């Protein structure tokens, strides 16, 4: 099943740009996903199982590095 996911990362620290950039860059290494970015969020298009597995791994890595982070995630099966 193809889905779209809108994800925002808010590292709760002064130097917040680098962790966000690193997260997006890690998402972009997965060639089977389409990743586009906006000012406040990124959109990921692809297979549900793949996206969820990748997000689980990448969000965990971000949270281990900066536990004081917030992720906002919206999933849609109808927006492609």
């Amino acid at each position: 099943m193809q889905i779209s996911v809108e994800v925002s990362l808010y590292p709760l620290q002064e130097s917040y740009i680098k962790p966000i950039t690193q997260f997006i860059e890690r998402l972009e290494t997965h060639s089977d996903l389409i990743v586009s970015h906006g000012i406040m969020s990124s959109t990921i298009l692809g297979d549900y199982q793949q996206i969820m597995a990748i997000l689980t791994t990448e969000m965990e890595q971000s949270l281990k590095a900066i536990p004081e982070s917030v992720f906002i995630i919206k999933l849609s099966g109808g927006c492609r």
Side-chain angles (χ1 to χ4, degrees):
M1 169 176 51
Q2 296 293 305
I3 64 166
S4 65
V5 177
E6 182 181 326
V7 60
S8 300
L9 167 58
Y10 301 100
L12 303 178
Q13 62 180 25
E14 275 191 49
S15 55
Y16 59 88
I17 294 174
K18 186 175 180 180
I20 295 169
T21 303
Q22 290 172 333
F23 176 71
I24 293 169
E25 288 172 349
R26 290 195 314 269
L27 291 176
E28 290 176 330
T29 65
H30 301 277
S31 60
D32 46 345
L33 301 182
I34 298 170
V35 180
S36 60
H37 4 94
I39 295 172
M40 298 296 290
S41 65
S42 294
T43 303
I44 308 163
L45 302 172
D47 177 73
Y48 175 85
Q49 296 293 332
Q50 289 176 320
I51 289 176
M52 296 310 290
I54 291 166
L55 282 177
T56 297
T57 300
E58 301 304 345
M59 290 184 345
E60 181 179 20
Q61 185 172 336
S62 293
L63 289 169
K64 282 182 177 178
I66 306 168
E68 300 79 18
S69 295
V70 175
F71 280 94
I72 307 294
I73 303 169
K74 299 178 198 173
L75 297 127
S76 174
C79 299
R80 292 180 186 79

